[in-house]
Amino acid sequence: MRKNIFITALMLFGLSLFSGCASMQIWPDYERSAENKMIVIQERIGDGLKTGALSLDQSQMFLTRLKIIRTDYAELRDKIVYQEEWDRLHGRLDALGEDINRAHAQTTRIESPRNGDTIVTLQRRIDDGRISRRLPPTEEREFQARLDSIRREYLRITEGGRPATYEERADISRRLDSLAMDIDRFR
């Protein structure tokens, strides 16, 4: 009798351990994607405020929502969590981005690419190089580490809704251009 109870308890423990391990994990691609979205949203808010497409009240409202999402992001980052939690965070970022796009009037002037757009583009290029095996594994890891470093630095700079200064934007842009040139060597 004792043996059956022990075996049953052991099987239940093993099943619960397996199910927990199978569904919870660290999601680095979700982290990077969330960081990219937060950077693009931050820049859209700043551009809208500069061009007058967004009022001060609108931009403050959007920045407050972004700050709340950033707080939730910080709680999820580098932790073992369910994928659904990342999906909810991405859904909130997408909804905020759509709200900003609706409130943001289209400008007629041609703008140079923003750093957030460049980060997203470089991430796609690194991912494509990894998938197509154009990038050797050592270079792919180096490029990804550099882009992650730039992305995290940009998020740190703009934390709390603070717009990046001209010098900070120029430094980020210079680092992104350097990374893009290095990636171009493998085309």
Side-chain angles (χ1 to χ4, degrees), residues 4 11 15 61 67 70 73 79 82 87-88 91 94 98 118 134 138 152 160 162 171 173:
N4 287 339
M11 287 177 50
L15 272 171
M61 178 187 67
K67 185 176 181 179
R70 275 188 175 189
Y73 161 80
K79 292 185 181 166
Y82 292 104
D87 290 341
R88 281 193 296 276
D94 292 339
E98 289 171 11
T118 305
R134 269 192 319 249
T138 54
R152 295 260 162 85
R162 181 181 80 80
D171 178 55
S173 180

Side-chain angles (χ1 to χ4, degrees), residues 117-174:
D117 296 332
T118 305
I119 289 172
V120 171
T121 301
L122 289 176
Q123 184 64 59
R124 284 188 190 126
R125 288 177 58 193
I126 291 171
D127 291 343
D128 290 345
R130 178 180 42 243
I131 291 168
S132 68
R133 296 204 168 113
R134 269 192 319 249
L135 288 176
T138 54
E139 277 76 14
E140 181 267 323
R141 282 191 299 272
E142 177 200 341
F143 294 155
Q144 188 63 62
R146 285 173 59 190
L147 184 60
D148 289 346
S149 172
I150 294 167
R151 183 185 303 112
R152 295 260 162 85
E153 176 69 14
Y154 192 79
L155 283 172
R156 186 195 61 75
I157 289 169
T158 60
E159 193 169 5
R162 181 181 80 80
T165 65
Y166 175 78
E167 291 81 17
E168 291 168 331
R169 284 192 314 272
D171 178 55
I172 296 290
S173 180
R174 179 190 50 75

Side-chain angles (χ1 to χ4, degrees), residues 15-25 80 82:
L15 272 171
S16 65
L17 180 65
F18 176 74
S19 68
C21 292
S23 59
M24 292 182 72
Q25 57 182 311
I80 298 174
Y82 292 104

Side-chain angles (χ1 to χ4, degrees), residues 3-142:
K3 193 176 188 181
N4 287 339
I5 293 173
F6 178 72
I7 290 174
T8 304
L10 188 61
M11 287 177 50
L12 287 173
F13 177 74
L15 272 171
S16 65
L17 180 65
F18 176 74
S19 68
C21 292
S23 59
M24 292 182 72
Q25 57 182 311
I26 295 175
W27 302 88
D29 291 338
Y30 280 76
E31 286 181 24
R32 288 185 191 116
S33 180
E35 289 170 351
N36 289 343
K37 288 179 183 182
M38 287 187 287
I39 289 169
V40 170
I41 287 170
Q42 177 78 37
E43 287 185 342
R44 291 286 292 162
I45 294 170
D47 289 347
L49 191 58
K50 275 191 261 181
T51 62
L54 295 177
S55 69
L56 185 59
D57 288 340
Q58 286 175 315
S59 64
Q60 287 301 318
M61 178 187 67
F62 291 141
L63 286 173
T64 301
R65 285 176 58 190
L66 181 60
K67 185 176 181 179
I68 292 168
I69 293 171
R70 275 188 175 189
T71 302
D72 294 343
Y73 161 80
E75 291 175 12
L76 293 179
R77 196 172 131 220
D78 296 328
K79 292 185 181 166
I80 298 174
V81 295
Y82 292 104
Q83 180 181 358
E84 290 80 28
E85 292 184 53
W86 279 110
D87 290 341
R88 281 193 296 276
L89 183 90
H90 278 273
R92 291 170 52 204
L93 284 167
D94 292 339
L96 178 57
E98 289 171 11
D99 290 347
I100 291 168
N101 288 340
R102 266 192 241 98
H104 204 285
Q106 296 298 324
T107 57
T108 56
R109 65 184 178 109
I110 298 174
E111 298 178 7
S112 61
R114 294 183 296 270
N115 286 335
D117 296 332
T118 305
I119 289 172
V120 171
T121 301
L122 289 176
Q123 184 64 59
R124 284 188 190 126
R125 288 177 58 193
I126 291 171
D127 291 343
D128 290 345
R130 178 180 42 243
I131 291 168
S132 68
R133 296 204 168 113
R134 269 192 319 249
L135 288 176
T138 54
E139 277 76 14
E140 181 267 323
R141 282 191 299 272
E142 177 200 341

